[in-house]
Amino acid sequence: MFFRKGTSTGPLVRGRTPVERFLRTVGLFVVFLGVALAFWHNTERRMREITAGGALKDPAGLLSKEDRSFVTGFADSLKDRFGVQARVEIGPGAADFTEIDSKTLYFGIDPEARGVAAAFPPLMRRALGGELSAYLEREHFEPYWASGDWPQGLKTALALIWTRLDNLDRPDAGQADATAPEPEREGNRP
């Protein structure tokens, strides 16, 4: 196949000795394999970008590249670990959502109106408690609105959600996490 004998057309892989022809053939296969692997990795990366585009909607480009990476990483990890889709929307009207399905966590931020919407799927809402979404919508972002650093508030909110979910499968899940603020409940106020 790769070694033609005869002088009419010559071999596809040329070499002076059989060892040289063999090494060149191996090199040819290595190049083909390298191109195939590069194509595979590029396709996989592009598919992750396409699916992550559904997880984050920031049409005005208000988030930095690092913040976008954090949000899409959160969405990927949430899907991989808990099987829940995450949808984060940023911009006008993002805090006014209509409805989500039973496997989607929705987080919307309207920086101009200083509005936040957090909706958890039913099972997640039962596991985390309804007070977490109320805390995120009403109290969590107040210091971030004041400082003008609402993207940091988004990252800490997503980290808080992740910490709470991660603590559910630990034996000491009943104990409060020191790094995550406990939302105030009506009965707990002084």
Side-chain angles (χ1 to χ4, degrees):
M1 178 175 162
F2 289 104
F3 305 108
R4 290 189 199 137
K5 294 195 177 188
T7 57
S8 63
T9 58
L12 292 175
V13 179
R14 298 172 197 253
R16 290 189 184 125
T17 64
V19 173
E20 184 180 354
R21 282 193 301 268
F22 174 75
L23 290 176
R24 286 179 180 244
T25 302
V26 169
L28 182 67
F29 282 121
V30 168
V31 169
F32 281 131
L33 181 64
V35 169
L37 285 174
F39 179 77
W40 179 45
H41 285 294
N42 183 52
T43 304
E44 188 176 77
R45 181 183 58 83
R46 292 295 298 154
M47 288 304 293
R48 272 196 314 268
E49 288 176 4
I50 289 168
T51 56
L56 174 64
K57 292 185 178 149
D58 181 17
L62 299 174
L63 291 177
S64 68
K65 186 176 181 179
E66 293 81 24
D67 295 337
R68 286 172 131 349
S69 176
F70 183 88
V71 172
T72 55
F74 170 80
D76 290 343
S77 298
L78 194 66
K79 176 69 175 164
D80 292 344
R81 175 104 187 263
F82 300 106
V84 175
Q85 298 283 342
R87 195 171 94 203
V88 178
E89 290 185 18
I90 298 168
D96 304 322
F97 70 98
T98 54
E99 194 171 314
I100 58 169
D101 62 19
S102 64
K103 291 187 176 185
T104 302
L105 176 144
Y106 177 84
F107 206 85
I109 299 176
D110 185 352
E112 292 176 13
R114 292 186 172 194
V116 177
F120 301 129
L123 288 175
M124 188 183 288
R125 186 177 33 240
R126 256 183 263 134
L128 296 176
E131 69 274 354
L132 180 61
S133 64
Y135 166 76
L136 291 172
E137 289 175 348
R138 295 186 190 112
E139 299 174 33
H140 176 77
F141 277 88
E142 290 304 319
Y144 299 105
W145 295 132
S147 68
D149 193 17
W150 63 266
Q152 182 62 34
L154 171 63
K155 292 193 302 189
T156 58
L158 296 179
L160 175 61
I161 293 169
W162 181 264
T163 301
R164 293 281 180 95
L165 287 171
D166 194 39
N167 285 337
L168 289 175
D169 59 352
R170 293 195 177 146
D172 60 344
Q175 300 172 0
D177 185 4
T179 61
E182 185 71 25
E184 288 185 2
R185 297 183 190 143
E186 291 296 321
N188 290 351
R189 292 190 179 153

